[in-house]
Amino acid sequence: MTETSYLTINQLTQYIKAKFTKDPYLQTVYVTGEISNFRLRPNGHQYFSLKDDDAVISVVMFKNAYKKLAFKPEEGMKVLVKGHIGVYERQGSYQLYIDEMSPDGIGALYQAYEQLKEKLAKEGLFDFEHKPIPRFPKKIAVVTSQSGAVIRDIITTVNRRYPIVQLVLYPAVVQGNKAKDSLVKQLKRIEANHDYDTVIIGRGGGSIEDLWPFNEEAVVRQVAKMSLPIITSVGHETDTTLVDFVSDERAATPTGAAELATPVLQDEIIRIKNWQRQMFAFEHQRINHLNERLLKVQRNYIFQDPSRLYEVKQLQLDQLNDRLWTNGQKFLTKYKQEFTTKTNQLWQHNPKHHVINARQQFEWNQEKLSSAMNQFLNNQRQHLNQHMTTLDALSPLKQLKKGYSITESRNQQISSINQVDIGDKVKIQVSDGELNAQITGTRKNK
């Protein structure tokens, strides 16, 4: 019976590695894909991933190969690479070792990011007046995962800096398909509460896919609508999501967000005590200065003998009283004389006889006016009678009484047979009424 031979993990891995190494198709491969999980290591080898819609492969680019690049790789960038496939024995995984790399357009997510960014920028969503972050908040709302390192970092930082503030966690999904709705829901809850001074929203680092919920249009617009000051802390310092463009402050880390939202309580206490000391010193100096002024005023001769303050004024008052009395007497004497003179003149020009003459003249004028008015009325009455007699003689009614008549047709007086036709209806006015007739014939005078 043949004994079964078991391989160690290392032996199996070495065998697989040899297969990869000896395979001519894997010694030089040309691959196109989208950069993912890229974090620049300035002085070392670069480790990231290449992906397409269906698969992901780990990538290694050694320092010497990376230095030859003429561009800076970015998350979501689509690239063309040349390299070979190898096995990393420690983890038992295969990976692509890149020798050359060049851009090949822009990855789908990165392109969507740029398109939405351009759209919102044109709307003016990024152009707004940033709300100031309250210096001494009482209550801060935090929107992030309840199990991630973000909330722990924020709690630790706040407890160290400003432990008197109240932190309220609004747990949200920060990655995956449900993240967008979860983030918007929690932001709306905070907005409806109106009980917070500041809002912090964020998550830890990750790929562009992991951070994508913070690039969703609904999330960006909800952050822009917030009436409360909002601080974003999404990913690492090199990550910039669209919510960063509509927030009032952006922090590189959750710790940085907590530092932006809170002061250092101990520093504020020290600052207040310094102010107290400064105010006390200032007031003490001010009181001493006022005491010196008071003592100086108290030593003044006026306060030593207050009567001296108004001696001169008393003399001036007496002089003014004397002048007032003298001028008053002169004024009364002068106006008494003028009153006597005007009284004498008034008696000399007594208006009594003027009134008698005026009354006589009025009565004479009244009689004259009455006589002239009677004469005028008589003359006018005679003229009226004459005109009435003349008017009566010319009245058409008087002619009608003599047997004459007036014939009308179509509201016109008929003076000729040419004005009517056979069959026309006419109206004949006589002295005591009207006759209605119809033309049956006409005869012209020779």
Side-chain angles (χ1 to χ4, degrees):
M1 182 176 180
T2 305
E3 183 176 353
T4 303
S5 177
Y6 290 91
L7 299 175
T8 65
I9 300 300
N10 181 55
Q11 290 172 333
L12 179 59
T13 302
Q14 289 293 333
Y15 178 80
I16 295 174
K17 180 179 180 181
K19 288 291 186 181
F20 275 83
T21 303
K22 295 177 181 179
D23 191 333
Y25 295 102
L26 301 180
Q27 292 177 2
T28 301
V29 293
Y30 297 88
V31 179
T32 179
E34 184 178 302
I35 295 177
S36 179
N37 295 322
F38 182 81
R39 296 290 178 270
L40 179 63
R41 295 168 175 80
N43 299 316
H45 309 310
Q46 305 303 320
Y47 301 93
F48 52 98
S49 301
L50 285 181
K51 67 175 185 176
D52 57 19
D53 294 336
D54 301 312
V56 179
I57 186 172
S58 298
V59 171
V60 179
M61 192 170 191
F62 293 115
K63 180 166 57 175
N64 292 335
Y66 182 80
K67 287 181 178 180
K68 297 177 183 179
L69 294 181
F71 68 100
K72 182 179 178 181
E74 295 179 355
E75 184 75 12
M77 181 179 291
K78 196 170 183 181
V79 292
L80 302 173
V81 301
K82 174 186 176 183
H84 62 277
I85 302 297
V87 175
Y88 183 48
E89 301 171 28
R90 185 176 298 274
Q91 293 185 353
S93 60
Y94 76 95
Q95 51 194 16
L96 174 61
Y97 294 83
I98 295 178
D99 300 318
E100 298 175 6
M101 182 168 64
S102 60
D104 182 28
I106 302 176
L109 286 179
Y110 184 74
Q111 185 174 4
Y113 171 91
E114 288 297 329
Q115 289 174 346
L116 181 57
K117 179 181 176 183
E118 182 179 0
K119 171 188 172 182
L120 298 179
K122 287 181 179 179
E123 291 182 12
L125 200 67
F126 302 155
D127 301 325
F128 65 98
E129 184 177 351
H130 290 242
K131 297 179 286 296
I133 306 301
R135 185 174 179 182
F136 303 107
K138 296 179 181 178
K139 200 171 182 181
I140 298 174
V142 181
V143 181
T144 189
S145 171
Q146 63 181 351
S147 60
V150 172
I151 187 62
R152 292 196 299 271
D153 290 346
I154 291 175
I155 292 173
T156 301
T157 304
V158 168
N159 288 338
R160 171 173 51 84
R161 290 170 58 88
Y162 199 63
I164 61 175
V165 72
Q166 181 182 356
L167 286 176
V168 180
L169 173 64
Y170 283 78
V173 180
V174 295
Q175 181 176 332
N177 296 331
K178 297 181 179 180
K180 175 183 70 173
D181 295 335
S182 178
L183 291 169
V184 171
K185 176 183 176 181
Q186 297 296 42
L187 288 172
K188 287 182 177 179
R189 286 182 60 200
I190 295 171
E191 182 70 11
N193 196 310
H194 296 294
D195 194 30
Y196 297 99
D197 300 299
T198 310
V199 180
I200 298 175
I201 180 172
R203 61 149 290 155
S207 65
I208 187 173
E209 294 87 353
D210 298 336
L211 305 183
W212 191 252
F214 296 88
N215 293 318
E216 292 284 358
E217 184 173 356
V219 178
V220 177
R221 292 190 182 278
Q222 183 59 42
V223 171
K225 288 180 184 177
M226 298 294 287
S227 61
L228 299 170
I230 187 163
I231 301 172
T232 54
S233 174
V234 181
H236 299 293
E237 186 172 1
T238 56
D239 297 316
T240 302
T241 58
L242 293 180
V243 294
D244 295 327
F245 292 100
V246 294
S247 64
D248 298 293
E249 289 285 352
R250 175 185 180 268
T253 62
T255 299
E259 291 174 348
L260 287 173
T262 58
V264 179
L265 181 61
Q266 194 60 36
D267 291 346
E268 298 302 324
I269 293 174
I270 293 173
R271 187 178 292 109
I272 292 172
K273 289 182 178 179
N274 289 335
W275 286 344
Q276 288 176 334
R277 285 193 292 268
Q278 292 174 8
M279 291 175 63
F280 178 80
F282 173 78
E283 289 300 321
H284 183 71
Q285 183 179 1
R286 181 169 172 269
I287 291 171
N288 289 338
H289 175 68
L290 292 175
N291 284 332
E292 291 176 359
R293 288 183 59 189
L294 177 61
L295 292 174
K296 185 177 180 180
V297 170
Q298 287 176 341
R299 295 191 191 102
N300 193 293
Y301 75 94
I302 293 177
F303 290 98
Q304 298 295 329
D305 187 5
S307 61
R308 296 173 61 184
L309 179 63
Y310 55 85
E311 285 178 348
V312 176
K313 299 297 181 182
Q314 185 63 48
L315 292 175
Q316 293 176 349
L317 180 62
D318 293 341
Q319 293 174 357
L320 290 173
N321 283 332
D322 292 340
R323 287 172 60 186
L324 178 62
W325 172 259
T326 301
N327 291 333
Q329 292 300 319
K330 289 180 180 180
F331 177 81
L332 290 174
T333 301
K334 175 183 176 182
Y335 278 92
K336 281 181 180 179
Q337 293 173 352
E338 291 182 357
F339 178 74
T340 302
T341 301
K342 296 296 182 183
T343 302
N344 293 333
Q345 292 177 352
L346 182 62
W347 281 108
Q348 292 174 4
H349 297 84
N350 194 329
K352 185 175 181 179
H353 63 280
H354 293 292
V355 173
I356 294 173
N357 291 335
R359 183 181 290 112
Q360 292 176 351
Q361 183 66 34
F362 173 75
E363 291 175 353
W364 182 80
N365 289 334
Q366 191 173 25
E367 291 177 359
K368 186 177 179 180
L369 178 61
S370 176
S371 175
M373 180 62 71
N374 290 332
Q375 182 65 34
F376 174 77
L377 291 175
N378 290 332
N379 291 337
Q380 294 298 319
R381 189 177 290 108
Q382 291 177 1
H383 288 310
L384 179 62
N385 291 332
Q386 292 175 1
H387 291 317
M388 289 178 64
T389 301
T390 303
L391 184 62
D392 184 61
L394 298 175
S395 174
L397 296 177
K398 198 161 189 178
Q399 297 298 324
L400 295 177
K401 290 180 180 181
K402 293 178 181 181
Y404 295 99
S405 64
I406 299 173
T407 305
E408 294 181 352
S409 177
R410 304 185 187 93
N411 295 326
Q412 293 183 350
Q413 289 186 1
I414 306 301
S415 61
S416 171
I417 63 174
N418 294 326
Q419 291 180 256
V420 296
D421 296 321
I422 301 299
D424 285 352
K425 292 181 179 181
V426 295
K427 181 174 64 175
I428 303 171
Q429 184 175 353
V430 294
S431 62
D432 59 351
E434 292 181 354
L435 300 174
N436 292 320
Q438 186 173 12
I439 303 300
T440 59
T442 60
R443 184 176 69 249
K444 190 174 182 68
N445 293 333
K446 296 183 179 179

